[in-house]
mmCIF file of all heavy atoms in Angstrom:
data_model
loop_
_atom_site.group_PDB
_atom_site.id
_atom_site.type_symbol
_atom_site.label_atom_id
_atom_site.label_comp_id
_atom_site.label_asym_id
_atom_site.label_seq_id
_atom_site.Cartn_x
_atom_site.Cartn_y
_atom_site.Cartn_z
ATOM 1 N N ASP Q 1 0.806 -1.141 -0.009
ATOM 2 C CA ASP Q 1 -0.053 0.030 0.021
ATOM 3 C C ASP Q 1 0.897 1.229 -0.004
ATOM 4 O O ASP Q 1 2.135 1.201 -0.011
ATOM 5 C CB ASP Q 1 -0.926 0.001 1.300
ATOM 6 C CG ASP Q 1 -0.218 -0.204 2.532
ATOM 7 O OD1 ASP Q 1 1.039 0.147 2.605
ATOM 8 O OD2 ASP Q 1 -0.863 -0.611 3.499
ATOM 9 N N PHE Q 2 0.222 2.418 0.029
ATOM 10 C CA PHE Q 2 0.940 3.612 -0.024
ATOM 11 C C PHE Q 2 1.907 3.840 1.107
ATOM 12 O O PHE Q 2 3.075 4.276 0.965
ATOM 13 C CB PHE Q 2 -0.048 4.871 -0.011
ATOM 14 C CG PHE Q 2 0.614 6.162 0.110
ATOM 15 C CD1 PHE Q 2 1.196 6.793 -1.019
ATOM 16 C CD2 PHE Q 2 0.686 6.906 1.334
ATOM 17 C CE1 PHE Q 2 1.800 8.006 -0.982
ATOM 18 C CE2 PHE Q 2 1.285 8.137 1.378
ATOM 19 C CZ PHE Q 2 1.861 8.647 0.326
ATOM 20 N N ILE Q 3 1.516 3.458 2.386
ATOM 21 C CA ILE Q 3 2.381 3.590 3.497
ATOM 22 C C ILE Q 3 3.583 2.742 3.355
ATOM 23 O O ILE Q 3 4.829 3.142 3.585
ATOM 24 C CB ILE Q 3 1.618 3.197 4.818
ATOM 25 C CG1 ILE Q 3 0.431 4.183 5.002
ATOM 26 C CG2 ILE Q 3 2.591 3.286 6.017
ATOM 27 C CD1 ILE Q 3 0.873 5.609 5.214
ATOM 28 N N SER Q 4 3.481 1.455 2.867
ATOM 29 C CA SER Q 4 4.584 0.578 2.753
ATOM 30 C C SER Q 4 5.588 1.179 1.802
ATOM 31 O O SER Q 4 6.867 1.085 2.055
ATOM 32 C CB SER Q 4 4.112 -0.815 2.166
ATOM 33 O OG SER Q 4 3.195 -1.353 3.110
ATOM 34 N N HIS Q 5 5.145 1.720 0.678
ATOM 35 C CA HIS Q 5 6.090 2.217 -0.313
ATOM 36 C C HIS Q 5 6.696 3.622 0.127
ATOM 37 O O HIS Q 5 7.841 3.900 -0.070
ATOM 38 C CB HIS Q 5 5.411 2.371 -1.640
ATOM 39 C CG HIS Q 5 5.182 1.116 -2.387
ATOM 40 N ND1 HIS Q 5 6.122 0.472 -3.083
ATOM 41 C CD2 HIS Q 5 4.025 0.326 -2.343
ATOM 42 C CE1 HIS Q 5 5.566 -0.670 -3.548
ATOM 43 N NE2 HIS Q 5 4.369 -0.814 -3.112
ATOM 44 N N ALA Q 6 5.906 4.472 0.827
ATOM 45 C CA ALA Q 6 6.367 5.757 1.215
ATOM 46 C C ALA Q 6 7.539 5.603 2.281
ATOM 47 O O ALA Q 6 8.476 6.366 2.324
ATOM 48 C CB ALA Q 6 5.228 6.567 1.775
ATOM 49 N N PHE Q 7 7.381 4.559 3.208
ATOM 50 C CA PHE Q 7 8.455 4.429 4.202
ATOM 51 C C PHE Q 7 9.375 3.307 3.979
ATOM 52 O O PHE Q 7 10.138 2.867 4.853
ATOM 53 C CB PHE Q 7 7.693 4.190 5.523
ATOM 54 C CG PHE Q 7 6.999 5.435 6.091
ATOM 55 C CD1 PHE Q 7 5.669 5.678 5.850
ATOM 56 C CD2 PHE Q 7 7.713 6.370 6.802
ATOM 57 C CE1 PHE Q 7 5.019 6.726 6.349
ATOM 58 C CE2 PHE Q 7 7.048 7.524 7.288
ATOM 59 C CZ PHE Q 7 5.698 7.732 7.030
ATOM 60 N N ARG Q 8 9.293 2.734 2.660
ATOM 61 C CA ARG Q 8 10.254 1.804 2.267
ATOM 62 C C ARG Q 8 10.228 0.567 3.184
ATOM 63 O O ARG Q 8 11.302 0.078 3.654
ATOM 64 C CB ARG Q 8 11.640 2.268 2.172
ATOM 65 C CG ARG Q 8 11.837 3.535 1.317
ATOM 66 C CD ARG Q 8 11.631 3.259 -0.116
ATOM 67 N NE ARG Q 8 12.685 2.401 -0.644
ATOM 68 C CZ ARG Q 8 12.823 1.828 -1.848
ATOM 69 N NH1 ARG Q 8 11.789 2.100 -2.763
ATOM 70 N NH2 ARG Q 8 13.769 1.148 -2.169
ATOM 71 N N LEU Q 9 9.009 0.137 3.603
ATOM 72 C CA LEU Q 9 8.879 -1.078 4.485
ATOM 73 C C LEU Q 9 9.318 -2.312 3.770
ATOM 74 O O LEU Q 9 9.395 -2.360 2.523
ATOM 75 C CB LEU Q 9 7.459 -1.144 5.024
ATOM 76 C CG LEU Q 9 6.933 0.048 5.830
ATOM 77 C CD1 LEU Q 9 5.547 -0.160 6.247
ATOM 78 C CD2 LEU Q 9 7.889 0.334 6.988
ATOM 79 N N PRO Q 10 9.657 -3.409 4.507
ATOM 80 C CA PRO Q 10 10.144 -4.605 3.882
ATOM 81 C C PRO Q 10 9.319 -5.182 2.758
ATOM 82 O O PRO Q 10 9.811 -5.584 1.791
ATOM 83 C CB PRO Q 10 10.276 -5.559 5.011
ATOM 84 C CG PRO Q 10 10.508 -4.723 6.161
ATOM 85 C CD PRO Q 10 9.703 -3.405 5.949
ATOM 86 N N LEU Q 11 7.932 -5.126 2.960
ATOM 87 C CA LEU Q 11 7.055 -5.599 1.876
ATOM 88 C C LEU Q 11 7.283 -4.878 0.599
ATOM 89 O O LEU Q 11 7.373 -5.527 -0.475
ATOM 90 C CB LEU Q 11 5.615 -5.495 2.310
ATOM 91 C CG LEU Q 11 4.551 -5.830 1.252
ATOM 92 C CD1 LEU Q 11 4.676 -7.239 0.772
ATOM 93 C CD2 LEU Q 11 3.157 -5.515 1.745
ATOM 94 N N ALA Q 12 7.359 -3.555 0.716
ATOM 95 C CA ALA Q 12 7.613 -2.775 -0.555
ATOM 96 C C ALA Q 12 8.899 -3.048 -1.208
ATOM 97 O O ALA Q 12 8.985 -3.166 -2.426
ATOM 98 C CB ALA Q 12 7.456 -1.217 -0.213
ATOM 99 N N SER Q 13 9.917 -3.198 -0.417
ATOM 100 C CA SER Q 13 11.262 -3.467 -0.942
ATOM 101 C C SER Q 13 11.280 -4.825 -1.678
ATOM 102 O O SER Q 13 11.910 -4.976 -2.744
ATOM 103 C CB SER Q 13 12.316 -3.422 0.155
ATOM 104 O OG SER Q 13 12.412 -2.179 0.743
ATOM 105 N N ARG Q 14 10.657 -5.833 -1.017
ATOM 106 C CA ARG Q 14 10.573 -7.156 -1.662
ATOM 107 C C ARG Q 14 9.840 -7.148 -2.928
ATOM 108 O O ARG Q 14 10.216 -7.751 -3.956
ATOM 109 C CB ARG Q 14 9.954 -8.191 -0.698
ATOM 110 C CG ARG Q 14 10.881 -8.538 0.536
ATOM 111 C CD ARG Q 14 10.355 -9.782 1.158
ATOM 112 N NE ARG Q 14 9.033 -9.683 1.711
ATOM 113 C CZ ARG Q 14 8.732 -9.155 2.889
ATOM 114 N NH1 ARG Q 14 9.740 -8.807 3.768
ATOM 115 N NH2 ARG Q 14 7.441 -9.042 3.299
ATOM 116 N N GLU Q 15 8.715 -6.398 -2.930
ATOM 117 C CA GLU Q 15 7.875 -6.282 -4.130
ATOM 118 C C GLU Q 15 8.741 -5.570 -5.279
ATOM 119 O O GLU Q 15 8.753 -6.037 -6.421
ATOM 120 C CB GLU Q 15 6.657 -5.465 -3.874
ATOM 121 C CG GLU Q 15 5.464 -6.320 -3.429
ATOM 122 C CD GLU Q 15 4.218 -5.547 -3.561
ATOM 123 O OE1 GLU Q 15 4.208 -4.231 -3.772
ATOM 124 O OE2 GLU Q 15 3.115 -6.170 -3.465
ATOM 125 N N GLU Q 16 9.460 -4.532 -4.940
ATOM 126 C CA GLU Q 16 10.245 -3.835 -5.973
ATOM 127 C C GLU Q 16 11.303 -4.711 -6.577
ATOM 128 O O GLU Q 16 11.497 -4.754 -7.807
ATOM 129 C CB GLU Q 16 10.854 -2.585 -5.396
ATOM 130 C CG GLU Q 16 9.884 -1.492 -5.154
ATOM 131 C CD GLU Q 16 10.542 -0.183 -4.653
ATOM 132 O OE1 GLU Q 16 11.786 -0.122 -4.666
ATOM 133 O OE2 GLU Q 16 9.788 0.693 -4.284
ATOM 134 N N ARG Q 17 11.962 -5.483 -5.741
ATOM 135 C CA ARG Q 17 12.943 -6.523 -6.267
ATOM 136 C C ARG Q 17 12.362 -7.507 -7.172
ATOM 137 O O ARG Q 17 12.878 -7.855 -8.245
ATOM 138 C CB ARG Q 17 13.647 -7.150 -5.100
ATOM 139 C CG ARG Q 17 14.623 -6.310 -4.368
ATOM 140 C CD ARG Q 17 15.641 -7.067 -3.492
ATOM 141 N NE ARG Q 17 14.873 -7.855 -2.446
ATOM 142 C CZ ARG Q 17 14.549 -7.381 -1.258
ATOM 143 N NH1 ARG Q 17 14.917 -6.143 -0.903
ATOM 144 N NH2 ARG Q 17 13.904 -8.151 -0.384
ATOM 145 N N SER Q 18 11.131 -7.986 -6.783
ATOM 146 C CA SER Q 18 10.444 -9.051 -7.514
ATOM 147 C C SER Q 18 9.982 -8.453 -8.930
ATOM 148 O O SER Q 18 10.214 -9.156 -9.912
ATOM 149 C CB SER Q 18 9.254 -9.496 -6.799
ATOM 150 O OG SER Q 18 8.517 -10.492 -7.524
ATOM 151 N N ILE Q 19 9.464 -7.219 -8.873
ATOM 152 C CA ILE Q 19 9.032 -6.639 -10.126
ATOM 153 C C ILE Q 19 10.147 -6.398 -11.072
ATOM 154 O O ILE Q 19 10.109 -6.703 -12.276
ATOM 155 C CB ILE Q 19 8.340 -5.250 -9.773
ATOM 156 C CG1 ILE Q 19 6.973 -5.499 -9.101
ATOM 157 C CG2 ILE Q 19 8.136 -4.426 -11.003
ATOM 158 C CD1 ILE Q 19 6.313 -4.274 -8.546
ATOM 159 N N HIS Q 20 11.295 -5.962 -10.542
ATOM 160 C CA HIS Q 20 12.498 -5.717 -11.344
ATOM 161 C C HIS Q 20 13.014 -7.056 -11.967
ATOM 162 O O HIS Q 20 13.397 -7.052 -13.145
ATOM 163 C CB HIS Q 20 13.592 -5.078 -10.461
ATOM 164 C CG HIS Q 20 14.689 -4.591 -11.299
ATOM 165 N ND1 HIS Q 20 15.917 -5.321 -11.471
ATOM 166 C CD2 HIS Q 20 14.917 -3.383 -11.938
ATOM 167 C CE1 HIS Q 20 16.797 -4.595 -12.193
ATOM 168 N NE2 HIS Q 20 16.207 -3.478 -12.488
ATOM 169 N N GLU Q 21 13.052 -8.181 -11.216
ATOM 170 C CA GLU Q 21 13.456 -9.449 -11.613
ATOM 171 C C GLU Q 21 12.591 -9.931 -12.801
ATOM 172 O O GLU Q 21 13.090 -10.481 -13.798
ATOM 173 C CB GLU Q 21 13.522 -10.399 -10.474
ATOM 174 C CG GLU Q 21 14.710 -10.088 -9.523
ATOM 175 C CD GLU Q 21 14.598 -10.988 -8.259
ATOM 176 O OE1 GLU Q 21 13.664 -11.818 -8.178
ATOM 177 O OE2 GLU Q 21 15.416 -10.805 -7.365
ATOM 178 N N VAL Q 22 11.319 -9.840 -12.630
ATOM 179 C CA VAL Q 22 10.396 -10.343 -13.667
ATOM 180 C C VAL Q 22 10.487 -9.518 -14.860
ATOM 181 O O VAL Q 22 10.517 -10.076 -16.008
ATOM 182 C CB VAL Q 22 8.896 -10.384 -13.086
ATOM 183 C CG1 VAL Q 22 7.943 -10.651 -14.198
ATOM 184 C CG2 VAL Q 22 8.722 -11.338 -11.979
ATOM 185 N N ALA Q 23 10.639 -8.237 -14.761
ATOM 186 C CA ALA Q 23 10.727 -7.382 -15.932
ATOM 187 C C ALA Q 23 11.968 -7.726 -16.708
ATOM 188 O O ALA Q 23 11.981 -7.756 -17.916
ATOM 189 C CB ALA Q 23 10.787 -5.865 -15.518
ATOM 190 N N LEU Q 24 13.088 -7.918 -15.993
ATOM 191 C CA LEU Q 24 14.366 -8.402 -16.698
ATOM 192 C C LEU Q 24 14.209 -9.686 -17.372
ATOM 193 O O LEU Q 24 14.680 -9.879 -18.495
ATOM 194 C CB LEU Q 24 15.475 -8.411 -15.706
ATOM 195 C CG LEU Q 24 16.104 -7.079 -15.188
ATOM 196 C CD1 LEU Q 24 17.173 -7.312 -14.191
ATOM 197 C CD2 LEU Q 24 16.518 -6.229 -16.285
ATOM 198 N N GLU Q 25 13.431 -10.543 -16.786
ATOM 199 C CA GLU Q 25 13.203 -11.917 -17.429
ATOM 200 C C GLU Q 25 12.447 -11.758 -18.713
ATOM 201 O O GLU Q 25 12.837 -12.322 -19.734
ATOM 202 C CB GLU Q 25 12.403 -12.830 -16.486
ATOM 203 C CG GLU Q 25 12.107 -14.244 -17.001
ATOM 204 C CD GLU Q 25 11.309 -14.981 -16.009
ATOM 205 O OE1 GLU Q 25 11.067 -14.572 -14.878
ATOM 206 O OE2 GLU Q 25 10.787 -16.064 -16.495
ATOM 207 N N MET Q 26 11.428 -10.883 -18.710
ATOM 208 C CA MET Q 26 10.648 -10.604 -19.932
ATOM 209 C C MET Q 26 11.505 -9.857 -21.026
ATOM 210 O O MET Q 26 11.427 -10.199 -22.195
ATOM 211 C CB MET Q 26 9.418 -9.762 -19.655
ATOM 212 C CG MET Q 26 8.383 -10.439 -18.704
ATOM 213 S SD MET Q 26 7.890 -12.065 -19.290
ATOM 214 C CE MET Q 26 8.643 -13.083 -18.094
ATOM 215 N N ILE Q 27 12.345 -8.999 -20.532
ATOM 216 C CA ILE Q 27 13.238 -8.255 -21.423
ATOM 217 C C ILE Q 27 14.203 -9.209 -22.100
ATOM 218 O O ILE Q 27 14.448 -9.110 -23.369
ATOM 219 C CB ILE Q 27 13.985 -7.114 -20.692
ATOM 220 C CG1 ILE Q 27 13.024 -5.946 -20.458
ATOM 221 C CG2 ILE Q 27 15.202 -6.674 -21.384
ATOM 222 C CD1 ILE Q 27 13.495 -4.901 -19.600
ATOM 223 N N ASP Q 28 14.797 -10.110 -21.306
ATOM 224 C CA ASP Q 28 15.661 -11.060 -21.924
ATOM 225 C C ASP Q 28 14.969 -12.026 -22.916
ATOM 226 O O ASP Q 28 15.475 -12.363 -23.935
ATOM 227 C CB ASP Q 28 16.365 -11.902 -20.890
ATOM 228 C CG ASP Q 28 17.452 -11.134 -20.108
ATOM 229 O OD1 ASP Q 28 17.892 -10.119 -20.735
ATOM 230 O OD2 ASP Q 28 17.788 -11.459 -18.989
ATOM 231 N N PHE Q 29 13.725 -12.411 -22.523
ATOM 232 C CA PHE Q 29 12.923 -13.335 -23.287
ATOM 233 C C PHE Q 29 12.669 -12.746 -24.740
ATOM 234 O O PHE Q 29 12.684 -13.444 -25.786
ATOM 235 C CB PHE Q 29 11.642 -13.675 -22.676
ATOM 236 C CG PHE Q 29 10.664 -14.487 -23.503
ATOM 237 C CD1 PHE Q 29 10.961 -15.829 -23.842
ATOM 238 C CD2 PHE Q 29 9.430 -13.941 -23.827
ATOM 239 C CE1 PHE Q 29 10.116 -16.548 -24.527
ATOM 240 C CE2 PHE Q 29 8.544 -14.685 -24.592
ATOM 241 C CZ PHE Q 29 8.886 -16.038 -24.937
ATOM 242 N N LEU Q 30 12.465 -11.418 -24.775
ATOM 243 C CA LEU Q 30 12.173 -10.754 -25.966
ATOM 244 C C LEU Q 30 13.345 -9.940 -26.630
ATOM 245 O O LEU Q 30 13.192 -9.057 -27.465
ATOM 246 C CB LEU Q 30 10.880 -9.851 -25.821
ATOM 247 C CG LEU Q 30 9.635 -10.622 -25.607
ATOM 248 C CD1 LEU Q 30 8.575 -9.801 -25.021
ATOM 249 C CD2 LEU Q 30 9.189 -11.246 -26.966
ATOM 250 N N ASP Q 31 14.542 -10.293 -26.022
ATOM 251 C CA ASP Q 31 15.786 -9.700 -26.641
ATOM 252 C C ASP Q 31 15.743 -8.197 -26.643
ATOM 253 O O ASP Q 31 16.024 -7.531 -27.669
ATOM 254 C CB ASP Q 31 15.939 -10.187 -28.027
ATOM 255 C CG ASP Q 31 17.434 -10.006 -28.538
ATOM 256 O OD1 ASP Q 31 18.334 -9.837 -27.682
ATOM 257 O OD2 ASP Q 31 17.647 -10.006 -29.777
ATOM 258 N N LEU Q 32 15.438 -7.538 -25.484
ATOM 259 C CA LEU Q 32 15.380 -6.165 -25.396
ATOM 260 C C LEU Q 32 16.393 -5.544 -24.419
ATOM 261 O O LEU Q 32 16.379 -4.352 -24.076
ATOM 262 C CB LEU Q 32 13.992 -5.746 -24.842
ATOM 263 C CG LEU Q 32 12.820 -5.994 -25.781
ATOM 264 C CD1 LEU Q 32 11.491 -5.915 -25.032
ATOM 265 C CD2 LEU Q 32 12.823 -4.981 -26.967
ATOM 266 N N ARG Q 33 17.379 -6.358 -24.020
ATOM 267 C CA ARG Q 33 18.425 -5.943 -23.073
ATOM 268 C C ARG Q 33 19.146 -4.672 -23.596
ATOM 269 O O ARG Q 33 19.439 -3.801 -22.787
ATOM 270 C CB ARG Q 33 19.316 -7.020 -22.740
ATOM 271 C CG ARG Q 33 20.433 -6.750 -21.800
ATOM 272 C CD ARG Q 33 20.037 -6.671 -20.301
ATOM 273 N NE ARG Q 33 19.631 -7.941 -19.721
ATOM 274 C CZ ARG Q 33 19.674 -8.122 -18.459
ATOM 275 N NH1 ARG Q 33 20.160 -7.237 -17.541
ATOM 276 N NH2 ARG Q 33 19.265 -9.306 -17.921
ATOM 277 N N ASP Q 34 19.543 -4.620 -24.816
ATOM 278 C CA ASP Q 34 20.292 -3.586 -25.383
ATOM 279 C C ASP Q 34 19.559 -2.175 -25.312
ATOM 280 O O ASP Q 34 20.237 -1.147 -25.402
ATOM 281 C CB ASP Q 34 20.771 -3.826 -26.822
ATOM 282 C CG ASP Q 34 21.801 -5.000 -26.882
ATOM 283 O OD1 ASP Q 34 22.326 -5.364 -25.888
ATOM 284 O OD2 ASP Q 34 21.999 -5.441 -28.038
ATOM 285 N N VAL Q 35 18.226 -2.264 -25.251
ATOM 286 C CA VAL Q 35 17.503 -0.958 -25.305
ATOM 287 C C VAL Q 35 16.699 -0.703 -24.036
ATOM 288 O O VAL Q 35 15.949 0.174 -23.946
ATOM 289 C CB VAL Q 35 16.498 -0.907 -26.528
ATOM 290 C CG1 VAL Q 35 17.244 -0.999 -27.852
ATOM 291 C CG2 VAL Q 35 15.463 -2.013 -26.430
ATOM 292 N N MET Q 36 16.981 -1.476 -23.006
ATOM 293 C CA MET Q 36 16.022 -1.402 -21.838
ATOM 294 C C MET Q 36 16.072 -0.158 -21.106
ATOM 295 O O MET Q 36 15.125 0.263 -20.427
ATOM 296 C CB MET Q 36 16.315 -2.621 -20.911
ATOM 297 C CG MET Q 36 17.516 -2.576 -20.122
ATOM 298 S SD MET Q 36 17.667 -3.985 -19.007
ATOM 299 C CE MET Q 36 19.105 -3.592 -18.144
ATOM 300 N N HIS Q 37 17.188 0.638 -21.155
ATOM 301 C CA HIS Q 37 17.338 1.919 -20.566
ATOM 302 C C HIS Q 37 16.958 3.109 -21.363
ATOM 303 O O HIS Q 37 17.061 4.253 -20.916
ATOM 304 C CB HIS Q 37 18.712 2.029 -19.925
ATOM 305 C CG HIS Q 37 19.088 1.047 -18.841
ATOM 306 N ND1 HIS Q 37 18.274 0.891 -17.644
ATOM 307 C CD2 HIS Q 37 20.058 0.165 -18.746
ATOM 308 C CE1 HIS Q 37 18.774 -0.055 -16.915
ATOM 309 N NE2 HIS Q 37 19.908 -0.492 -17.535
ATOM 310 N N LEU Q 38 16.641 2.851 -22.659
ATOM 311 C CA LEU Q 38 16.236 3.917 -23.578
ATOM 312 C C LEU Q 38 14.799 4.170 -23.429
ATOM 313 O O LEU Q 38 13.981 3.356 -23.137
ATOM 314 C CB LEU Q 38 16.564 3.507 -24.972
ATOM 315 C CG LEU Q 38 18.044 3.210 -25.341
ATOM 316 C CD1 LEU Q 38 18.151 2.855 -26.776
ATOM 317 C CD2 LEU Q 38 18.917 4.450 -25.063
ATOM 318 N N PRO Q 39 14.422 5.462 -23.674
ATOM 319 C CA PRO Q 39 12.918 5.772 -23.737
ATOM 320 C C PRO Q 39 12.249 5.139 -24.902
ATOM 321 O O PRO Q 39 12.916 4.852 -25.943
ATOM 322 C CB PRO Q 39 12.922 7.285 -23.870
ATOM 323 C CG PRO Q 39 14.246 7.662 -24.436
ATOM 324 C CD PRO Q 39 15.227 6.722 -23.948
ATOM 325 N N ALA Q 40 10.951 4.813 -24.760
ATOM 326 C CA ALA Q 40 10.282 4.131 -25.816
ATOM 327 C C ALA Q 40 10.209 5.027 -27.040
ATOM 328 O O ALA Q 40 10.313 4.550 -28.165
ATOM 329 C CB ALA Q 40 8.914 3.799 -25.359
ATOM 330 N N ALA Q 41 10.083 6.328 -26.849
ATOM 331 C CA ALA Q 41 10.031 7.224 -28.018
ATOM 332 C C ALA Q 41 11.265 7.205 -28.874
ATOM 333 O O ALA Q 41 12.364 7.205 -28.361
ATOM 334 C CB ALA Q 41 9.833 8.717 -27.490
ATOM 335 N N GLY Q 42 11.095 7.021 -30.129
ATOM 336 C CA GLY Q 42 12.234 6.981 -31.064
ATOM 337 C C GLY Q 42 12.682 5.560 -31.344
ATOM 338 O O GLY Q 42 13.551 5.358 -32.337
ATOM 339 N N LEU Q 43 12.234 4.519 -30.675
ATOM 340 C CA LEU Q 43 12.674 3.174 -31.000
ATOM 341 C C LEU Q 43 11.951 2.664 -32.235
ATOM 342 O O LEU Q 43 10.791 3.066 -32.487
ATOM 343 C CB LEU Q 43 12.386 2.311 -29.793
ATOM 344 C CG LEU Q 43 13.280 2.430 -28.553
ATOM 345 C CD1 LEU Q 43 12.811 1.545 -27.466
ATOM 346 C CD2 LEU Q 43 14.723 2.241 -28.876
ATOM 347 N N PRO Q 44 12.508 1.717 -32.961
ATOM 348 C CA PRO Q 44 11.805 1.236 -34.176
ATOM 349 C C PRO Q 44 10.516 0.557 -33.818
ATOM 350 O O PRO Q 44 10.323 0.048 -32.701
ATOM 351 C CB PRO Q 44 12.849 0.186 -34.725
ATOM 352 C CG PRO Q 44 14.194 0.573 -34.154
ATOM 353 C CD PRO Q 44 13.891 1.208 -32.821
ATOM 354 N N PHE Q 45 9.564 0.649 -34.754
ATOM 355 C CA PHE Q 45 8.264 0.093 -34.465
ATOM 356 C C PHE Q 45 8.262 -1.344 -34.105
ATOM 357 O O PHE Q 45 7.491 -1.742 -33.135
ATOM 358 C CB PHE Q 45 7.358 0.317 -35.735
ATOM 359 C CG PHE Q 45 5.911 -0.076 -35.564
ATOM 360 C CD1 PHE Q 45 5.034 0.778 -34.791
ATOM 361 C CD2 PHE Q 45 5.388 -1.298 -36.131
ATOM 362 C CE1 PHE Q 45 3.707 0.455 -34.646
ATOM 363 C CE2 PHE Q 45 4.069 -1.587 -35.897
ATOM 364 C CZ PHE Q 45 3.310 -0.764 -35.202
ATOM 365 N N GLY Q 46 9.054 -2.150 -34.770
ATOM 366 C CA GLY Q 46 9.042 -3.602 -34.407
ATOM 367 C C GLY Q 46 9.549 -3.807 -32.966
ATOM 368 O O GLY Q 46 9.083 -4.719 -32.302
#
């Protein structure tokens, strides 16, 4: 909830780590590692 994230409580920290790990897994699955830190604007349509 808002309080957990605002005060960086353990639940929020665990969630953020999990979200980051899953996102990286999807990025690797779809071969997006080279562009993952670039803004979406300007990237090729494909």
Side-chain angles (χ1 to χ4, degrees):
D1 55 21
F2 174 78
I3 298 298
S4 299
H5 287 277
F7 289 96
R8 308 288 296 176
L9 297 181
L11 172 61
S13 297
R14 287 195 301 271
E15 271 196 348
E16 287 184 10
R17 286 195 300 272
S18 176
I19 289 170
H20 191 264
E21 289 170 2
V22 171
L24 288 179
E25 182 183 350
M26 298 305 109
I27 281 171
D28 286 339
F29 175 65
L30 289 162
D31 196 22
L32 293 166
R33 178 76 70 156
D34 289 346
V35 299
M36 71 177 186
H37 295 303
L38 298 179
L43 291 176
F45 185 74

